[in-house]
Amino acid sequence: MLDDQRQPVSDPHVDIPDVGHLPPVGVVPPTMHAQVIRPGHYGDPATAFRREVVPTPQIGPGEVLIAVMAAGINYNNVWAARGYPVDQVATRQKRGETEDFHIGGSDASGIVYATGEGVETVNVGDEVIVHPGVWDEHDPWITAGRDQMIAPSARIWGYDTNYGSFGQFARVQAHQVLPKAPHLSWAEAAAPTLVGTTAYRMLHGWQGNTVQDGDLVLVWGGSGGLGTQACQLVREAGGRAVAVVSDDERGAYAMKYGAIGYINRREFTHWGIPPLVDDKDGQKAWTAGARAFGKKLWEIAGAKEDPAIVFEHPGAATIPTSIFLCRPGGMVTICAGTTGFDAMVDLRYHWTRQKRLQGSHGTNDEQAIAYNRLVVDGRIDPCVGRVLTMDDIPRAHAEMGRGEEVFGNTVILIGSSTPDLGKH
């Protein structure tokens, strides 16, 4: 039940609903089902996630309680399950939080069940999605008018924060809550927001190197959740995306979502850290491999044209090639390091050709709103690859960690009973 429709008051007489069901709107049970990670289980995501019944989160001023209808799977909770590179539970405990567990999930569609003090932008009963950027609105960086996602207080919801979308109820900040596209099911609406807003920031967020009409953009992992969003965003901006994939089936999938062509990376062998500069024979062999890769890109582009932007997330295995191929004055923008964090840049190709290697992380409000508008308008497809159950969350993360199932986005049904529920 609600007190003045703001602070949720758990009703001890309300039974915890089964997954796939909800209590009446505004009625908050004291406990909920969730997929939980505890430090003692860190390691393989297949065993790190355990289904438990835990207390339903309480909300404070400026916060919103969402009944989660569906949740999206992202690579960040592969890291959370491993406890590497960051032990999120220990990090939060050092900040004074008391929970000894992590409930992840950085994508959600759902229904507002309660709003905290000062929340005026959403109401109980609203059908919404959640963007993943979290911060302290009083952070001096933000009050000075600077980019919210670069603020010292900035975090990724459901990775750096607790009570993400892998529970029946999620706790979010009010500014994260955006309208759900009416034409999408709960599952479809939950699929793309983290990867989509991340891709939007990477392509539109860095002044001087934003995607322009006619630009050639190389997109690594073009058939995955991040890559399919990037290809569509490049297309919407008038650019031309070329996807890098691991087989022809994945290439065809990337082209379905906006790529003009694809490169099969398995046809090349020069990946990883190149030989040192003084190793002339090694350098010659590596450069030949990188040039052959670039020639394939030229064939797809129809001219000897290098990419204005390289859309990166593999990291260690691919950064040397990305920097080598990027056009003078162009940008390599990177949001992760799924093949490793120890990437190497040959500075000869970096400073003399005045290229940009730009880290990009998360989204600010303006970028999230702009991306969501494209989804609501039907210009961006959420690219749902498969829809699973709450009990499949461990398996889905284990497969993602191994690089399997890379067609679009994986979605988990939480409150929604079927994949098609929620369309209007």
Side-chain angles (χ1 to χ4, degrees):
M1 295 183 297
L2 299 179
D3 179 7
D4 190 30
Q5 289 201 329
R6 293 196 179 280
Q7 291 296 341
V9 179
S10 296
D11 188 338
H13 302 292
V14 176
D15 292 333
I16 178 175
D18 293 333
V19 174
H21 300 273
L22 293 175
V25 173
V27 177
V28 180
T31 57
M32 67 176 188
H33 294 280
Q35 282 284 356
V36 176
I37 298 169
R38 295 184 181 275
H41 301 151
Y42 284 160
D44 185 350
T47 56
F49 287 92
R50 309 283 176 94
R51 182 155 161 189
E52 298 183 20
V53 173
V54 298
T56 303
Q58 296 293 304
I59 61 171
E63 294 182 334
V64 176
L65 189 72
I66 305 290
V68 179
M69 297 300 285
I73 300 289
N74 295 287
Y75 203 95
N76 59 7
N77 274 280
V78 174
W79 289 324
R82 293 170 176 168
Y84 176 84
V86 178
D87 181 336
Q88 289 293 357
V89 174
T91 298
R92 291 198 292 265
Q93 288 179 332
K94 288 178 182 178
R95 296 200 297 259
E97 298 183 30
T98 59
E99 292 91 351
D100 60 355
F101 59 82
H102 172 72
I103 299 175
S106 300
D107 269 318
S109 63
I111 301 170
V112 174
Y113 262 53
T115 59
E117 180 184 352
V119 174
E120 304 292 344
T121 54
V122 295
N123 297 295
V124 171
D126 285 353
E127 297 186 353
V128 299
I129 58 94
V130 179
H131 86 65
V134 172
W135 45 76
D136 177 1
E137 65 178 345
H138 302 297
D139 188 316
W141 178 280
I142 293 172
T143 59
R146 301 187 180 100
D147 189 324
Q148 296 147 332
M149 201 61 223
I150 301 179
S153 64
R155 307 279 187 267
I156 296 297
W157 172 69
Y159 173 64
D160 298 307
T161 73
N162 210 348
Y163 299 110
S165 61
F166 297 156
Q168 289 177 296
F169 290 88
R171 182 177 68 196
V172 305
Q173 295 178 338
H175 70 89
Q176 295 176 256
V177 181
L178 299 173
K180 170 188 169 292
H183 68 281
L184 297 181
S185 68
W186 292 114
E188 290 168 331
T193 307
L194 181 137
V195 288
T197 57
T198 297
Y200 189 95
R201 181 178 177 87
M202 292 171 74
L203 294 166
H204 291 283
W206 305 107
Q207 187 175 1
N209 292 98
T210 57
V211 61
Q212 301 293 314
D213 186 37
D215 277 351
L216 186 66
V217 180
L218 184 66
V219 178
W220 290 96
S223 66
L226 191 64
T228 50
Q229 294 300 300
C231 289
Q232 292 182 86
L233 288 167
V234 171
R235 179 198 64 202
E236 289 300 309
R240 296 162 295 143
V242 175
V244 185
V245 296
S246 58
D247 60 42
D248 293 339
E249 186 180 5
R250 288 170 172 80
Y253 191 84
M255 291 183 68
K256 178 182 176 181
Y257 292 108
I260 64 167
Y262 65 90
I263 303 173
N264 185 344
R265 62 177 170 79
R266 296 191 186 278
E267 297 176 1
F268 304 89
T269 60
H270 66 288
W271 310 119
I273 297 175
L276 294 176
V277 172
D278 290 341
D279 179 353
K280 293 183 179 180
D281 290 339
Q283 275 279 308
K284 183 178 180 180
W286 183 89
T287 302
R291 290 190 186 281
F293 185 88
K295 185 177 180 180
K296 181 66 175 179
L297 179 61
W298 290 348
E299 291 174 4
I300 296 169
K304 292 183 177 180
E305 180 182 2
D306 295 326
I309 298 175
V310 181
F311 186 95
E312 258 278 0
H313 61 86
T318 55
I319 278 288
T321 299
S322 294
I323 291 293
F324 184 83
L325 293 179
C326 184
R327 79 182 185 190
M331 176 178 71
V332 176
T333 177
I334 186 165
C335 67
T338 55
T339 66
F341 309 119
D342 300 318
M344 193 198 85
V345 173
D346 188 331
L347 293 177
R348 295 174 300 173
Y349 302 115
H350 195 60
W351 96 68
T352 61
R353 297 174 188 176
Q354 302 181 73
K355 303 178 183 184
R356 179 176 186 172
L357 177 57
Q358 176 65 56
S360 191
H361 186 55
T363 182
N364 61 32
D365 279 341
E366 180 182 5
Q367 292 157 354
I369 291 167
Y371 169 78
N372 193 55
R373 187 177 300 117
L374 291 171
V375 176
V376 171
D377 290 346
R379 295 169 61 186
I380 296 292
D381 190 297
C383 301
V384 176
R386 57 181 179 161
V387 181
L388 304 175
T389 70
M390 180 185 265
D391 289 330
D392 292 318
I393 287 174
R395 173 171 67 89
H397 284 87
E399 290 168 346
M400 180 173 278
R402 294 192 297 265
E404 301 167 4
E405 296 293 341
V406 291
F407 290 89
N409 292 295
T410 296
V411 182
I412 303 297
L413 297 182
I414 306 290
S416 180
S417 57
T418 67
D420 296 328
L421 194 66
K423 295 182 179 181
H424 298 296

